[in-house]
Amino acid sequence: KQEVTQIPAALSVPEGENLVLNCSFTDSAIYNLQWFRQDPGKGLTSLLLIQSSQREQTSGRLNASLDKSSGRSTLYIAASQPGDSATYLCAVVFSGGYNKLIFGAGTRLAVHP
Amino acid sequence: EAQVTQNPRYLITVTGKKLTVTCSQNMNHEYMSWYRQDPGLGLRQIYYSMNVEVTDKGDVPEGYKVSRKEKRNFPLILESPSPNQTSLYFCASSWRYNEKLFFGSGTQLSVL
């Protein structure tokens, strides 16, 4: 079964820390992997999209890496700020079901001043 | 402004009363999809559409219908809602299936 797992489920850090969120997936045959941010009561905002041929993507303080062989992706947030507090989800399009997006359960991040 | 618009934002209904949640995008996207989000179960795909008149089931299609008669609209229809369909629903769209997804703000549905 194709699954996406995110660890940890929750994370609390002081402002200014660099942090890493983890995402693992069960099948290395993927089309792409996407990281999203969800604020309470709101929709999802796509942060970074990594195609299967890419190793990483960067946007501002965010960097996402992809290692298909090990079935892992990491989202690196540099110099965290209270405004980064949100739930971060990763989602994978597996090659077998190219039009299906499988989501992880998310990591709830709290950055305190 | 490029956006995905869902309506209504909140909906309370009773078992068996047909309802439609509308979804519209103004980005000329080909791919559109519906998800439900439940505590402990995360986001699960209900239906998706690769283009006009092309729709297919996701992981949890039972009890739902969709149609894609126009590129911009992708309504979600619950013919006979039941309490287990109480959930937070999201519509999303992208240029193609493997491109960045844009989400609507969500519809909180309660079926009594």
Side-chain angles (χ1 to χ4, degrees), chain B residues 55-98:
Chain B
T55 63
D56 209 344
K57 298 176 182 178
D59 288 324
V60 287
E62 294 78 20
Y64 305 94
K65 283 177 58 176
V66 293
S67 68
R68 186 93 181 271
K69 294 184 172 59
E70 306 166 282
K71 200 169 189 177
R72 62 182 293 127
N73 295 323
F74 191 44
L76 180 69
I77 303 158
L78 285 71
E79 295 267 0
S80 183
S82 63
N84 65 11
Q85 293 179 297
T86 292
S87 186
L88 178 58
Y89 291 86
F90 289 103
C91 177
S93 72
S94 61
W95 182 245
R96 297 242 158 73
Y97 68 88
N98 59 344

Short mmCIF file of all heavy atoms in Angstrom, two decimals, chain B residues 55-98:
data_model
loop_
_atom_site.label_atom_id
_atom_site.label_comp_id
_atom_site.label_asym_id
_atom_site.label_seq_id
_atom_site.Cartn_x
_atom_site.Cartn_y
_atom_site.Cartn_z
N THR B 55 -13.56 12.63 -15.54
CA THR B 55 -13.51 12.55 -14.08
C THR B 55 -13.24 11.10 -13.67
O THR B 55 -13.53 10.17 -14.43
CB THR B 55 -14.84 13.00 -13.44
OG1 THR B 55 -15.89 12.13 -13.85
CG2 THR B 55 -15.18 14.43 -13.84
N ASP B 56 -12.71 10.93 -12.47
CA ASP B 56 -12.43 9.58 -11.98
C ASP B 56 -12.41 9.58 -10.46
O ASP B 56 -12.24 10.63 -9.81
CB ASP B 56 -11.12 9.05 -12.52
CG ASP B 56 -11.14 7.52 -12.64
OD1 ASP B 56 -12.03 6.87 -12.02
OD2 ASP B 56 -10.27 6.97 -13.33
N LYS B 57 -12.57 8.38 -9.90
CA LYS B 57 -12.66 8.23 -8.46
C LYS B 57 -11.29 8.34 -7.81
O LYS B 57 -10.29 7.88 -8.34
CB LYS B 57 -13.26 6.86 -8.12
CG LYS B 57 -14.67 6.66 -8.63
CD LYS B 57 -15.15 5.24 -8.36
CE LYS B 57 -16.56 5.03 -8.91
NZ LYS B 57 -17.03 3.64 -8.70
N GLY B 58 -11.31 8.93 -6.62
CA GLY B 58 -10.13 8.94 -5.77
C GLY B 58 -10.21 7.79 -4.78
O GLY B 58 -10.73 6.72 -5.10
N ASP B 59 -9.77 8.03 -3.57
CA ASP B 59 -9.72 6.97 -2.57
C ASP B 59 -11.04 6.76 -1.84
O ASP B 59 -11.32 5.66 -1.38
CB ASP B 59 -8.63 7.29 -1.53
CG ASP B 59 -7.25 7.11 -2.12
OD1 ASP B 59 -7.07 6.19 -2.94
OD2 ASP B 59 -6.35 7.90 -1.76
N VAL B 60 -11.86 7.81 -1.72
CA VAL B 60 -13.10 7.71 -0.94
C VAL B 60 -14.28 8.29 -1.71
O VAL B 60 -14.91 9.26 -1.29
CB VAL B 60 -12.94 8.38 0.44
CG1 VAL B 60 -12.07 7.56 1.36
CG2 VAL B 60 -12.40 9.81 0.30
N PRO B 61 -14.66 7.71 -2.86
CA PRO B 61 -15.71 8.30 -3.69
C PRO B 61 -17.14 7.96 -3.28
O PRO B 61 -18.08 8.59 -3.76
CB PRO B 61 -15.41 7.69 -5.06
CG PRO B 61 -14.85 6.33 -4.73
CD PRO B 61 -14.06 6.52 -3.46
N GLU B 62 -17.31 6.98 -2.39
CA GLU B 62 -18.67 6.51 -2.09
C GLU B 62 -19.51 7.62 -1.49
O GLU B 62 -19.12 8.28 -0.54
CB GLU B 62 -18.61 5.33 -1.11
CG GLU B 62 -17.96 4.07 -1.66
CD GLU B 62 -16.44 4.16 -1.66
OE1 GLU B 62 -15.90 5.01 -0.90
OE2 GLU B 62 -15.80 3.43 -2.42
N GLY B 63 -20.71 7.80 -2.04
CA GLY B 63 -21.64 8.80 -1.54
C GLY B 63 -21.49 10.17 -2.18
O GLY B 63 -22.20 11.10 -1.82
N TYR B 64 -20.57 10.30 -3.13
CA TYR B 64 -20.31 11.58 -3.79
C TYR B 64 -20.44 11.45 -5.31
O TYR B 64 -20.25 10.38 -5.86
CB TYR B 64 -18.90 12.09 -3.47
CG TYR B 64 -18.58 12.21 -2.02
CD1 TYR B 64 -17.94 11.18 -1.34
CD2 TYR B 64 -18.91 13.36 -1.32
CE1 TYR B 64 -17.64 11.27 0.00
CE2 TYR B 64 -18.62 13.47 0.04
CZ TYR B 64 -17.98 12.43 0.68
OH TYR B 64 -17.69 12.54 2.02
N LYS B 65 -20.78 12.57 -5.93
CA LYS B 65 -20.77 12.66 -7.39
C LYS B 65 -20.10 13.97 -7.77
O LYS B 65 -20.11 14.93 -7.00
CB LYS B 65 -22.20 12.65 -7.95
CG LYS B 65 -22.87 11.30 -7.98
CD LYS B 65 -24.30 11.41 -8.48
CE LYS B 65 -24.40 12.02 -9.86
NZ LYS B 65 -25.81 12.03 -10.36
N VAL B 66 -19.55 13.99 -8.97
CA VAL B 66 -18.96 15.22 -9.51
C VAL B 66 -19.33 15.34 -10.97
O VAL B 66 -19.77 14.37 -11.60
CB VAL B 66 -17.41 15.24 -9.37
CG1 VAL B 66 -16.99 15.30 -7.92
CG2 VAL B 66 -16.80 14.04 -10.08
N SER B 67 -19.13 16.54 -11.50
CA SER B 67 -19.27 16.75 -12.94
C SER B 67 -18.28 17.82 -13.36
O SER B 67 -17.90 18.67 -12.56
CB SER B 67 -20.70 17.15 -13.30
OG SER B 67 -20.99 18.45 -12.81
N ARG B 68 -17.86 17.77 -14.61
CA ARG B 68 -16.93 18.79 -15.13
C ARG B 68 -17.41 19.15 -16.53
O ARG B 68 -16.87 18.72 -17.54
CB ARG B 68 -15.51 18.21 -15.16
CG ARG B 68 -14.47 19.26 -15.54
CD ARG B 68 -13.86 19.92 -14.36
NE ARG B 68 -12.89 20.93 -14.70
CZ ARG B 68 -11.58 20.72 -14.89
NH1 ARG B 68 -11.10 19.46 -14.83
NH2 ARG B 68 -10.77 21.71 -15.17
N LYS B 69 -18.41 19.99 -16.56
CA LYS B 69 -18.98 20.42 -17.84
C LYS B 69 -18.24 21.62 -18.42
O LYS B 69 -18.26 21.86 -19.64
CB LYS B 69 -20.46 20.74 -17.68
CG LYS B 69 -21.33 19.53 -17.34
CD LYS B 69 -22.80 19.90 -17.29
CE LYS B 69 -23.68 18.66 -17.15
NZ LYS B 69 -23.37 17.87 -15.95
N GLU B 70 -17.63 22.38 -17.53
CA GLU B 70 -16.82 23.54 -17.96
C GLU B 70 -15.46 23.42 -17.29
O GLU B 70 -15.34 22.84 -16.22
CB GLU B 70 -17.47 24.85 -17.51
CG GLU B 70 -18.90 25.05 -17.92
CD GLU B 70 -19.50 26.19 -17.12
OE1 GLU B 70 -19.86 25.97 -15.96
OE2 GLU B 70 -19.59 27.30 -17.66
N LYS B 71 -14.48 24.03 -17.89
CA LYS B 71 -13.12 23.92 -17.36
C LYS B 71 -13.01 24.53 -15.97
O LYS B 71 -12.29 24.04 -15.11
CB LYS B 71 -12.15 24.59 -18.32
CG LYS B 71 -10.71 24.15 -18.14
CD LYS B 71 -9.86 24.66 -19.28
CE LYS B 71 -8.48 24.05 -19.23
NZ LYS B 71 -7.64 24.48 -20.37
N ARG B 72 -13.69 25.63 -15.74
CA ARG B 72 -13.49 26.37 -14.50
C ARG B 72 -14.26 25.80 -13.31
O ARG B 72 -13.92 26.09 -12.17
CB ARG B 72 -13.85 27.83 -14.70
CG ARG B 72 -15.30 28.09 -15.07
CD ARG B 72 -15.56 29.57 -15.30
NE ARG B 72 -15.41 30.31 -14.05
CZ ARG B 72 -14.63 31.37 -13.92
NH1 ARG B 72 -13.92 31.79 -14.94
NH2 ARG B 72 -14.55 32.02 -12.78
N ASN B 73 -15.30 25.00 -13.54
CA ASN B 73 -16.17 24.56 -12.44
C ASN B 73 -16.11 23.06 -12.19
O ASN B 73 -16.08 22.27 -13.15
CB ASN B 73 -17.62 24.95 -12.73
CG ASN B 73 -17.81 26.44 -12.77
OD1 ASN B 73 -17.21 27.17 -11.99
ND2 ASN B 73 -18.66 26.91 -13.68
N PHE B 74 -16.13 22.69 -10.93
CA PHE B 74 -16.06 21.27 -10.56
C PHE B 74 -16.88 21.07 -9.29
O PHE B 74 -16.35 20.95 -8.18
CB PHE B 74 -14.60 20.88 -10.35
CG PHE B 74 -14.37 19.39 -10.21
CD1 PHE B 74 -14.97 18.48 -11.05
CD2 PHE B 74 -13.48 18.90 -9.24
CE1 PHE B 74 -14.72 17.12 -10.95
CE2 PHE B 74 -13.24 17.54 -9.13
CZ PHE B 74 -13.85 16.66 -9.98
N PRO B 75 -18.20 21.02 -9.39
CA PRO B 75 -19.04 20.89 -8.20
C PRO B 75 -19.01 19.48 -7.60
O PRO B 75 -18.88 18.49 -8.32
CB PRO B 75 -20.44 21.22 -8.74
CG PRO B 75 -20.38 20.86 -10.20
CD PRO B 75 -18.97 21.16 -10.64
N LEU B 76 -19.16 19.44 -6.30
CA LEU B 76 -19.25 18.18 -5.55
C LEU B 76 -20.69 18.01 -5.09
O LEU B 76 -21.25 18.90 -4.45
CB LEU B 76 -18.32 18.21 -4.35
CG LEU B 76 -18.30 16.96 -3.46
CD1 LEU B 76 -17.67 15.78 -4.20
CD2 LEU B 76 -17.55 17.25 -2.16
N ILE B 77 -21.28 16.89 -5.44
CA ILE B 77 -22.69 16.64 -5.16
C ILE B 77 -22.83 15.49 -4.17
O ILE B 77 -22.25 14.42 -4.36
CB ILE B 77 -23.44 16.29 -6.47
CG1 ILE B 77 -23.26 17.41 -7.49
CG2 ILE B 77 -24.93 16.03 -6.19
CD1 ILE B 77 -23.48 16.99 -8.92
N LEU B 78 -23.62 15.74 -3.13
CA LEU B 78 -23.98 14.69 -2.19
C LEU B 78 -25.47 14.44 -2.37
O LEU B 78 -26.30 15.25 -1.98
CB LEU B 78 -23.67 15.09 -0.75
CG LEU B 78 -22.19 15.06 -0.32
CD1 LEU B 78 -21.39 16.19 -0.97
CD2 LEU B 78 -22.08 15.11 1.19
N GLU B 79 -25.80 13.33 -3.02
CA GLU B 79 -27.19 13.05 -3.36
C GLU B 79 -28.03 12.79 -2.11
O GLU B 79 -29.18 13.23 -2.00
CB GLU B 79 -27.27 11.83 -4.29
CG GLU B 79 -26.63 12.03 -5.64
CD GLU B 79 -27.61 12.50 -6.71
OE1 GLU B 79 -28.81 12.66 -6.39
OE2 GLU B 79 -27.19 12.71 -7.85
N SER B 80 -27.49 12.04 -1.18
CA SER B 80 -28.21 11.71 0.05
C SER B 80 -27.20 11.72 1.20
O SER B 80 -26.71 10.66 1.62
CB SER B 80 -28.87 10.34 -0.08
OG SER B 80 -29.61 10.04 1.09
N PRO B 81 -26.89 12.91 1.72
CA PRO B 81 -25.84 13.01 2.74
C PRO B 81 -26.15 12.19 3.99
O PRO B 81 -27.32 12.05 4.39
CB PRO B 81 -25.82 14.51 3.07
CG PRO B 81 -26.47 15.17 1.90
CD PRO B 81 -27.47 14.19 1.37
N SER B 82 -25.10 11.67 4.59
CA SER B 82 -25.22 10.94 5.85
C SER B 82 -24.25 11.53 6.87
O SER B 82 -23.30 12.23 6.49
CB SER B 82 -24.92 9.46 5.63
OG SER B 82 -23.58 9.31 5.20
N PRO B 83 -24.48 11.29 8.15
CA PRO B 83 -23.61 11.89 9.18
C PRO B 83 -22.13 11.57 9.00
O PRO B 83 -21.28 12.39 9.38
CB PRO B 83 -24.17 11.29 10.48
CG PRO B 83 -25.62 11.08 10.18
CD PRO B 83 -25.66 10.62 8.76
N ASN B 84 -21.78 10.43 8.41
CA ASN B 84 -20.36 10.12 8.24
C ASN B 84 -19.71 10.94 7.13
O ASN B 84 -18.50 10.81 6.87
CB ASN B 84 -20.13 8.62 8.00
CG ASN B 84 -20.74 8.13 6.71
OD1 ASN B 84 -21.17 8.91 5.86
ND2 ASN B 84 -20.79 6.82 6.55
N GLN B 85 -20.49 11.79 6.48
CA GLN B 85 -19.93 12.72 5.51
C GLN B 85 -19.68 14.11 6.12
O GLN B 85 -19.26 15.03 5.42
CB GLN B 85 -20.84 12.84 4.29
CG GLN B 85 -20.87 11.54 3.48
CD GLN B 85 -21.77 11.61 2.29
OE1 GLN B 85 -23.00 11.79 2.44
NE2 GLN B 85 -21.20 11.46 1.11
N THR B 86 -19.92 14.22 7.41
CA THR B 86 -19.53 15.43 8.13
C THR B 86 -18.01 15.54 8.07
O THR B 86 -17.30 14.63 8.52
CB THR B 86 -20.01 15.37 9.59
OG1 THR B 86 -21.44 15.45 9.61
CG2 THR B 86 -19.42 16.52 10.40
N SER B 87 -17.52 16.64 7.51
CA SER B 87 -16.08 16.75 7.29
C SER B 87 -15.76 18.15 6.79
O SER B 87 -16.64 18.97 6.53
CB SER B 87 -15.64 15.71 6.25
OG SER B 87 -14.24 15.70 6.10
N LEU B 88 -14.46 18.42 6.66
CA LEU B 88 -13.97 19.63 6.03
C LEU B 88 -13.56 19.27 4.61
O LEU B 88 -12.71 18.39 4.42
CB LEU B 88 -12.79 20.19 6.82
CG LEU B 88 -12.11 21.45 6.29
CD1 LEU B 88 -13.10 22.60 6.17
CD2 LEU B 88 -10.95 21.84 7.21
N TYR B 89 -14.15 19.94 3.63
CA TYR B 89 -13.93 19.62 2.23
C TYR B 89 -13.10 20.70 1.55
O TYR B 89 -13.34 21.89 1.76
CB TYR B 89 -15.27 19.46 1.50
CG TYR B 89 -16.03 18.25 1.93
CD1 TYR B 89 -16.88 18.29 3.04
CD2 TYR B 89 -15.90 17.04 1.24
CE1 TYR B 89 -17.57 17.16 3.45
CE2 TYR B 89 -16.58 15.91 1.64
CZ TYR B 89 -17.42 15.98 2.75
OH TYR B 89 -18.11 14.86 3.15
N PHE B 90 -12.17 20.25 0.73
CA PHE B 90 -11.33 21.16 -0.04
C PHE B 90 -11.37 20.82 -1.52
O PHE B 90 -11.30 19.65 -1.91
CB PHE B 90 -9.87 21.09 0.42
CG PHE B 90 -9.62 21.68 1.76
CD1 PHE B 90 -9.44 20.86 2.87
CD2 PHE B 90 -9.55 23.06 1.93
CE1 PHE B 90 -9.20 21.40 4.11
CE2 PHE B 90 -9.31 23.60 3.18
CZ PHE B 90 -9.14 22.77 4.27
N CYS B 91 -11.46 21.87 -2.32
CA CYS B 91 -11.30 21.75 -3.76
C CYS B 91 -9.91 22.27 -4.11
O CYS B 91 -9.40 23.19 -3.44
CB CYS B 91 -12.37 22.58 -4.45
SG CYS B 91 -12.27 22.60 -6.24
N ALA B 92 -9.30 21.71 -5.12
CA ALA B 92 -7.97 22.15 -5.53
C ALA B 92 -7.85 22.07 -7.05
O ALA B 92 -8.57 21.29 -7.70
CB ALA B 92 -6.88 21.30 -4.87
N SER B 93 -6.95 22.85 -7.60
CA SER B 93 -6.72 22.79 -9.04
C SER B 93 -5.25 23.00 -9.34
O SER B 93 -4.49 23.56 -8.53
CB SER B 93 -7.55 23.85 -9.77
OG SER B 93 -7.05 25.16 -9.54
N SER B 94 -4.84 22.54 -10.52
CA SER B 94 -3.48 22.78 -10.98
C SER B 94 -3.47 22.78 -12.50
O SER B 94 -4.41 22.28 -13.14
CB SER B 94 -2.49 21.74 -10.44
OG SER B 94 -2.85 20.45 -10.89
N TRP B 95 -2.40 23.32 -13.06
CA TRP B 95 -2.28 23.40 -14.51
C TRP B 95 -2.39 22.00 -15.12
O TRP B 95 -3.15 21.76 -16.04
CB TRP B 95 -0.95 24.05 -14.85
CG TRP B 95 -0.74 24.24 -16.31
CD1 TRP B 95 0.19 23.64 -17.09
CD2 TRP B 95 -1.50 25.08 -17.20
NE1 TRP B 95 0.05 24.04 -18.40
CE2 TRP B 95 -0.95 24.91 -18.50
CE3 TRP B 95 -2.60 25.93 -17.01
CZ2 TRP B 95 -1.47 25.60 -19.60
CZ3 TRP B 95 -3.10 26.61 -18.11
CH2 TRP B 95 -2.53 26.44 -19.38
N ARG B 96 -1.58 21.08 -14.61
CA ARG B 96 -1.68 19.67 -14.96
C ARG B 96 -1.60 18.87 -13.67
O ARG B 96 -1.32 19.41 -12.60
CB ARG B 96 -0.54 19.26 -15.91
CG ARG B 96 -0.61 19.99 -17.23
CD ARG B 96 -0.82 19.07 -18.40
NE ARG B 96 -1.39 19.76 -19.55
CZ ARG B 96 -0.73 20.61 -20.32
NH1 ARG B 96 0.54 20.86 -20.07
NH2 ARG B 96 -1.32 21.19 -21.33
N TYR B 97 -1.78 17.56 -13.74
CA TYR B 97 -1.86 16.75 -12.52
C TYR B 97 -0.57 16.77 -11.73
O TYR B 97 -0.58 16.55 -10.52
CB TYR B 97 -2.20 15.30 -12.87
CG TYR B 97 -1.12 14.56 -13.61
CD1 TYR B 97 -0.12 13.88 -12.93
CD2 TYR B 97 -1.09 14.56 -14.99
CE1 TYR B 97 0.89 13.22 -13.60
CE2 TYR B 97 -0.09 13.90 -15.67
CZ TYR B 97 0.90 13.24 -14.97
OH TYR B 97 1.89 12.59 -15.64
N ASN B 98 0.56 17.02 -12.36
CA ASN B 98 1.83 16.96 -11.66
C ASN B 98 2.43 18.35 -11.41
O ASN B 98 3.63 18.49 -11.27
CB ASN B 98 2.84 16.10 -12.43
CG ASN B 98 3.09 16.64 -13.82
OD1 ASN B 98 2.32 17.46 -14.31
ND2 ASN B 98 4.15 16.21 -14.45
#
